[in-house]
Amino acid sequence: MKVLVTGGAGFIGSNFVRHLLSSNGDAEVVVIDRLTYAGRRDNLDGLPEDRLEFVEADICDRAAVANSLKGCSALINFAAESHVDRSVDSPEDFIRTDVTGTFVLLEACRDAGIRMVQISTDEVYGSIDEGTFTEQSHLDPSSPYSASKASGDLLVSAFHKTYGLEALIVRASNNYGTRQHPEKLIPLTILNALHGDPIPIYGDGKQVRNWLFVEDFCRAIETVLKTGLAGEVYNVGGPDEVENIEVVERILDLTGADRDLISFVADRPGHDVRYSLSSGKTEALGWKAEVSFSEGLERTVEWYRENRAWWEPVRSGEYREWYLKQYGVSLTED
Ligand code: NAD
Ligand code: DAU
């Protein structure tokens, strides 16, 4: 098995490459990544060099994509602009990568005649007050990010229907775990708690997310890659639904930080109140989430405690400027 993984230097993509290479002794992976602020070559350090090729390129670069696809039997697309708040601030990059980039990959897979798995999000369904979203739920995105992902998904479905492309979509709930950029709630809270920085909670903090440990998600992607049916959508939700305020309080307890660090700030525009995904269709393929939120959160806090060398460069770089612009306060210097 040789697969092209786009966005493989980011959070979920790099976890997936690690998972695939360790659970399939004969697998080979080619990674294409543009290395934006969210991508890091060292996220792939320590992996077998004879089975991993890294190409620094943009998914909108048709020639680079076509060249990297040679000899591959599938493409899994993780490449995206992924942060909702940045999409509110400046949406253009989201349209370019998440929509045009997805289109370029679809064209390349059509030319090469290979399977494409599009990694998508529960956010395309919008917010749900009660019950859970299924694969039949209609698309109702709220942010420029989720609208760009929904647009990519619609192109994927259209390429299957029009050209018979062997394309599938996997929609996941909020992931957390190792190597997640600190712009996202869980790593932001862990690092701010470790530094004694205030922890910004949007609105009343009662929004609910359906947390999924990244290693569980990686196993789900492998299952869909190998056994999913072309043209289908597969939802992958986590085992627990937790309010943001509880997430933050649990991290403060795990790090021994003071609850006074909690700082309620202005709400995110278009903020979805609750996500909830039904994973029954993916479970029917033989997958099941194995890591509870309590266990996954403990493991995640531990990883950030032990991997200062990973996050120190992030906190001192572009992220500091983003943080000041977004929250109006500076992060403590390390
Ligand atoms: P991330 O921001 O950590 O990583 C994105 C990666 O894509 C980075 O390595 C970046 O350099 C790369 N990239 C961005 N633009 C590119 C371009 N034009 N060409 C090539 N590479 C480019 O994101 P993530 O959290 O790992 O998310 C991965 C995928 O999973 C995304 O498609 C996202 O929409 C989806 N998803 C994420 C979550 C979550 O909770 N993080 C949940 C559901 C779905
Ligand atoms: O649901 C899947 C999505 O999960 C993915 O598609 C996105 O790529 C990923 O970024 C994530 O989106 P969210 O917006 O849910 O994640 P984020 O970590 O930014 O926020 C989680 C919740 O915490 C959300 O309700 C907003 C809130 N929040 C976030 C930040 C960064 C705060 O209250 N304060 C903050 O500073």
Side-chain angles (χ1 to χ4, degrees):
M1 171 174 43
K2 183 175 175 186
V3 296
L4 178 61
V5 175
T6 54
F11 162 49
I12 306 177
S14 64
N15 273 284
F16 178 74
V17 172
R18 258 168 218 288
H19 166 78
L20 196 74
L21 290 176
S22 68
S23 61
N24 296 268
D26 60 342
E28 290 176 47
V29 173
V30 181
V31 167
I32 286 191
D33 199 293
R34 185 184 161 200
L35 298 182
T36 67
Y37 77 92
R40 292 173 58 156
R41 179 65 183 86
D42 66 0
N43 277 345
L44 298 167
D45 278 357
L47 293 171
E49 284 174 17
D50 55 332
R51 295 196 287 134
L52 174 65
E53 184 187 343
F54 181 80
V55 181
E56 184 174 343
D58 195 309
I59 58 165
C60 297
D61 179 341
R62 287 163 193 256
V65 172
N67 201 38
S68 301
L69 258 185
K70 284 178 188 153
C72 293
S73 56
L75 183 156
I76 305 137
N77 179 29
F78 294 90
E81 289 295 335
S82 69
H83 191 34
V84 172
D85 292 327
R86 291 191 195 240
S87 83
V88 173
D89 181 64
S90 44
E92 197 164 344
D93 281 351
F94 290 73
I95 307 306
R96 184 177 175 282
T97 292
D98 303 6
V99 186
T100 307
T102 300
F103 167 71
V104 170
L105 298 178
L106 286 163
E107 287 278 67
C109 288
R110 182 157 81 99
D111 286 347
I114 66 162
R115 170 170 277 230
M116 172 164 159
V117 178
Q118 168 76 349
I119 304 303
S120 188
T121 169
D122 58 1
E123 299 204 8
V124 297
Y125 299 119
S127 195
I128 188 165
D129 292 337
E130 286 176 5
T132 58
F133 287 123
T134 70
E135 290 81 358
Q136 274 73 48
S137 301
H138 73 283
L139 304 190
D140 187 20
S142 305
S143 70
Y145 162 69
S146 49
S148 73
K149 292 297 291 185
S151 307
D153 287 9
L154 292 175
L155 283 169
V156 174
S157 299
F159 267 63
H160 171 72
K161 288 181 194 153
T162 305
Y163 306 115
L165 181 72
E166 207 183 308
L168 304 85
I169 299 170
V170 183
R171 295 189 178 131
S173 57
N174 281 63
N175 275 233
Y176 68 104
T178 63
R179 300 181 178 80
Q180 185 170 32
H181 193 282
E183 68 191 358
K184 308 285 166 51
L185 180 69
I186 287 183
L188 181 154
T189 303
I190 296 170
L191 295 185
N192 282 22
L194 294 176
H195 287 83
D197 281 333
I199 291 151
I201 296 190
Y202 297 151
D204 60 9
K206 292 196 178 300
Q207 303 82 8
V208 172
R209 295 294 183 262
N210 186 188
W211 294 99
L212 173 66
F213 193 57
V214 67
E215 290 175 19
D216 274 340
F217 186 38
C218 291
R219 284 189 304 101
I221 298 166
E222 183 186 6
T223 302
V224 173
L225 171 70
K226 290 179 173 171
T227 61
L229 296 179
E232 297 291 322
V233 175
Y234 294 90
N235 286 346
V236 184
D240 298 289
E241 294 184 17
V242 192
E243 286 186 351
N244 291 341
I245 183 73
E246 187 185 335
V247 171
V248 169
E249 285 172 354
R250 285 202 202 191
I251 294 171
L252 293 175
D253 292 346
L254 286 168
T255 53
D258 203 304
R259 296 246 168 137
D260 289 351
L261 290 181
I262 292 174
S263 167
F264 290 96
V265 300
D267 208 349
R268 169 188 280 174
H271 199 170
D272 287 331
V273 174
R274 175 171 172 261
Y275 300 138
S276 177
L277 274 188
S278 131
S279 310
K281 191 169 162 184
T282 309
E283 287 173 356
L285 297 179
W287 171 85
K288 200 161 179 43
E290 287 174 356
V291 181
S292 68
F293 187 61
S294 299
E295 181 194 336
L297 195 62
E298 271 183 41
R299 285 169 62 180
T300 304
V301 168
E302 201 49 34
W303 187 85
Y304 280 89
R305 270 193 199 283
E306 287 176 359
N307 286 277
R308 189 183 184 92
W310 185 89
W311 52 255
E312 218 170 41
V314 186
R315 271 185 58 106
S316 62
E318 180 269 355
Y319 175 60
R320 289 187 73 77
E321 287 160 38
W322 159 255
Y323 196 93
L324 178 60
K325 183 175 172 197
Q326 173 70 2
Y327 300 103
V329 287
S330 291
L331 290 166
T332 304
E333 301 267 1
D334 282 302

